Amino acid sequence: MKRKIGIIGSREYANKRKVKNTIFALKNKFGEEIEIVSGGCPNGADQYAKKYALDFEMKYKEFNPAHTVQNLYSALNENYYNKLYAPKNFFHRNKMLAMYVDYIIAFIPDGSPSNGTMDTVKHAKKLGKRIVIIT
């Protein structure tokens, strides 16, 4: 059974070694039966999730916001993208990501409010998904 694991987190998250080690451990445990999913942010935890999932040759998808362009890893069809920028796009994306994954691993540095990450966590909790928060 393939597991879809959301690796999300703060834009300020800088401990790439923790993200790398987490993804490596997931690959060792689940092998080909895992897909890493992120929000597609070019900074912080999402950036590292993409980098290491691809470095380790794992399946990878991202729920990048509607105001961005579709890319090779986008989870949604091309009609979803190239919209006008609006903060609601981020929150809609967070909810869709939470619905798609089986588990969430959220990387949040101490003292960071991480509003977007916590929005995704809130949706995942409502859906009864397993959640791990790493600081």
Side-chain angles (χ1 to χ4, degrees):
M1 179 173 102
K2 182 164 68 166
R3 290 171 174 82
K4 295 178 271 188
I5 301 181
I7 305 285
I8 62 170
S10 168
R11 289 181 180 98
E12 291 84 39
Y13 196 82
N15 192 336
K16 61 184 173 183
R17 183 177 299 259
K18 266 191 190 177
V19 178
K20 180 180 182 180
N21 291 343
T22 299
I23 292 173
F24 187 72
L26 290 168
K27 180 176 173 108
N28 282 339
K29 183 171 183 176
F30 300 113
E32 294 296 314
E33 296 300 313
I34 187 170
E35 177 178 275
I36 301 296
V37 181
S38 88
C41 182
N43 309 94
D46 286 10
Q47 170 192 16
Y48 302 134
K50 181 176 187 175
K51 175 184 177 13
Y52 295 118
L54 296 177
D55 283 356
F56 297 141
E57 299 179 347
M58 299 170 76
K59 294 176 185 100
Y60 173 79
K61 278 194 183 170
E62 64 186 34
F63 281 78
N64 46 315
H67 67 271
T68 62
V69 297
Q70 184 184 35
N71 65 52
L72 182 62
Y73 307 105
S74 295
L76 301 165
N77 71 42
E78 64 185 272
N79 295 331
Y80 177 78
Y81 298 101
N82 296 311
K83 306 288 190 279
L84 293 175
Y85 175 87
K88 69 180 181 178
N89 293 343
F90 291 102
F91 296 105
H92 184 245
R93 176 271 314 263
N94 296 344
K95 185 175 184 179
M96 289 189 304
L97 190 152
M99 291 170 63
Y100 180 80
V101 300
D102 301 309
Y103 308 94
I104 293 276
I105 300 174
F107 291 88
I108 304 171
D110 286 333
S112 174
S114 301
N115 295 331
T117 303
M118 293 312 296
D119 182 62
T120 307
V121 167
K122 176 189 78 175
H123 289 298
K125 279 184 182 176
K126 283 182 185 176
L127 295 165
K129 308 287 175 110
R130 291 176 136 181
I131 301 159
V132 174
I133 296 178
I134 299 174
T135 56

